[in-house]
């Protein structure tokens, strides 16, 4: 498939040909390959924007912040790369793959270990499932102002992240795209999603780590504004983080719209389907200790 369709727009046609009920893993991988460039900076931005949302529920923020002593503050880049590796490997290999199942069990056990001292209610994990399911579509529509995912892609994303969440022990996950959207909207405009000092500290740390990693000191303000410009306003407003200047956000989002249009309609699709986890492991500045088994040596005190 990859070699016979070089330098043409083949991904969209392939997604339309596939059945999301039986081919969800392949559709999810193709969607990611079509939208994401082979750039650790971009996927780290993607990670930062997504994980800022998890600072919204105070109980979730407290479990990661741990009174300002969490691993995020001392080993933030390593934590980001390890988390991205896990998430992307589930996309690369599919949830049913033995390697993915081992990774999912590792993450579930990690969460269980944290919960002994910092328990999180089920609604925080249901919120996470909604964020992961909807994030591509929301970034396209709410940030870039572009058309969102098509019906095949939406159904595949729903099936994929439901499977991931169920493997992680999450219950009562919505069965339809509309229900997943309703869950996210209701949750992020409800009482469980609110300002807290740990949440604000955590979100600022995520943004600052992105800026520090990719921009020299004189331009770290740019990296910070960039991450916030890609974040939805109600999220950063809830966390009490000042928005970037309106003109900056408008410009960044318009440029994102142009980039999405070019990636989807003008530039040739990749000759081969990209392994997203390779973006992390192959980068010269990757923080993974051992790319084949990330975080295997992490002790509970580090968590």
């Amino acid at each position: 498939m990859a070699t016979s369709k070089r330098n043409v727009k083949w991904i969209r046609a392939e997604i339309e040909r596939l059945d999301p009920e039986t081919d969800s893993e392949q559709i999810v991988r193709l969607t990611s390959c079509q939208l994401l460039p082979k750039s650790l900076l971009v996927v780290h931005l993607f990670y930062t924007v997504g994980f800022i949302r998890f600072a919204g529920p105070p109980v979730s923020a407290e479990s990661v912040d741990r009174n300002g002593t969490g691993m995020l503050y001392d080993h933030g880049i390593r934590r980001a790369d390890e988390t991205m590796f896990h998430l992307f490997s589930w996309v690369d290999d599919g949830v049913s793959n033995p390697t993915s199942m081992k990774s999912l069990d590792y993450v579930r056990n990690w969460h269980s270990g944290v919960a002994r001292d910092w328990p999180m209610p089920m609604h925080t994990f249901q919120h996470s499932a909604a964020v992961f399911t909807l994030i591509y579509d929301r970034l396209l529509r709410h940030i870039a102002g572009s058309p969102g995912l098509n019906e095949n892609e939406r159904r595949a994303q729903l099936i994929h992240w439901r499977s991931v969440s169920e493997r992680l022990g999450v219950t009562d996950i919505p069965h339809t795209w509309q229900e997943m959207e309703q869950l996210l909207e209701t949750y992020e405009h409800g009482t469980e999603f609110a300002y807290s000092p740990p949440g604000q500290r955590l979100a600022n740390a995520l943004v600052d780590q992105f800026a520090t990693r990719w921009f020299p000191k004189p331009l770290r303000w740019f990296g910070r504004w960039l991450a916030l410009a890609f974040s939805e306003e109600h999220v950063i407003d809830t966390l009490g983080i000042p928005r970037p200047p309106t003109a900056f956000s408008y410009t960044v989002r318009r440029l994102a719209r142009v980039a999405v249009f070019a990636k989807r309609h003008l530039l040739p699709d990749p000759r081969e389907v990209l392994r997203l986890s390779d973006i992390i492991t192959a980068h010269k500045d990757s923080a993974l200790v051992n790319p084949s088994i990330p975080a295997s040596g992490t002790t509970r005190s580090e968590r």
Side-chain angles (χ1 to χ4, degrees):
M1 178 178 68
T3 57
S4 63
K5 300 181 180 180
R6 294 176 180 175
N7 298 323
V8 295
K9 305 299 292 183
W10 62 272
I11 290 182
R12 176 64 56 183
E14 185 68 9
I15 288 173
E16 290 295 336
R17 185 188 68 81
L18 295 169
D19 180 355
E21 301 299 327
T22 56
D23 304 314
S24 61
E25 294 181 352
Q26 190 173 354
I27 293 173
V28 167
R29 190 177 177 194
L30 287 170
T31 300
S32 298
C33 183
Q34 183 187 51
L35 293 175
L36 292 177
K38 191 176 181 180
S39 165
L40 184 54
L41 185 155
V42 172
V43 296
H44 191 186
L45 174 63
F46 180 77
Y47 162 88
T48 302
V49 170
F51 274 72
I52 286 173
R53 299 183 100 107
F54 302 146
V59 65
S60 178
E62 289 169 4
S63 71
V64 180
D65 175 73
R66 301 172 212 176
N67 298 318
T69 66
M71 181 181 175
L72 181 86
Y73 300 106
D74 293 331
H75 307 283
I77 301 302
R78 174 182 162 192
R79 174 75 181 272
D81 284 3
E82 289 168 353
T83 303
M84 286 188 287
F85 181 90
H86 282 295
L87 291 171
F88 287 148
S89 66
W90 305 337
V91 172
D92 291 335
D93 300 317
V95 181
S96 59
N97 181 277
T99 301
S100 293
M101 293 174 71
K102 182 178 179 181
S103 169
L104 285 159
D105 288 343
Y106 168 83
V107 173
R108 182 174 182 172
N109 291 336
W110 187 88
H111 285 157
S112 297
V114 171
R116 296 188 189 102
D117 299 317
W118 302 92
M120 287 189 291
M122 186 58 66
H123 64 74
T124 63
F125 294 104
Q126 293 162 343
H127 172 240
S128 299
V131 170
F132 288 131
T133 300
L134 303 173
I135 190 166
Y136 279 148
D137 191 71
R138 291 189 74 92
L139 283 172
L140 288 169
R141 294 189 296 111
H142 292 263
I143 303 302
S146 300
L149 303 181
N150 65 29
E151 289 305 313
N152 270 17
E153 290 172 316
R154 288 183 172 189
R155 183 62 185 165
Q157 292 288 337
L158 181 69
I159 292 172
H160 174 79
W161 291 109
R162 272 185 56 85
S163 298
V164 167
S165 300
E166 288 170 351
R167 184 76 185 185
L168 294 174
V170 185
T171 59
D172 297 325
I173 312 164
H175 286 81
T176 70
W177 185 268
Q178 291 72 24
E179 289 171 344
M180 196 70 85
E181 287 185 312
Q182 184 178 8
L183 185 156
L184 188 69
E185 288 292 337
T186 302
Y187 190 89
E188 292 189 348
H189 292 88
T191 58
E192 303 291 355
F193 198 88
Y195 169 82
S196 68
Q200 186 185 69
R201 183 164 55 232
L202 178 61
N204 276 320
L206 286 164
V207 173
D208 289 340
Q209 284 166 6
F210 169 77
T212 300
R213 183 178 196 178
W214 298 110
F215 296 90
K217 191 171 183 178
L219 290 177
R220 285 177 188 165
W221 62 269
F222 181 88
R224 181 176 175 84
W225 284 4
L226 185 65
L228 295 175
F230 276 94
S231 301
E232 293 188 46
E233 285 82 357
H234 74 274
V235 175
I236 58 176
D237 288 349
T238 296
L239 292 166
I241 299 175
R243 299 182 187 180
T246 302
F248 182 91
S249 294
Y250 176 82
T251 302
V252 163
R253 293 181 177 192
R254 295 294 290 185
L255 290 172
R257 183 176 182 177
V258 171
V260 167
F261 181 85
K263 195 85 165 65
R264 280 176 153 181
H265 302 290
L266 301 179
L267 299 175
D269 288 335
R271 297 183 180 186
E272 297 182 358
V273 180
L274 173 68
R275 284 188 60 86
L276 298 175
S277 55
D278 287 349
I279 297 174
I280 297 99
T281 59
H283 196 278
K284 63 182 179 65
D285 295 324
S286 173
L288 291 185
V289 176
N290 180 352
S292 63
I293 311 178
S296 60
T298 302
T299 65
R300 190 174 171 199
S301 63
E302 287 177 310
R303 297 173 190 171

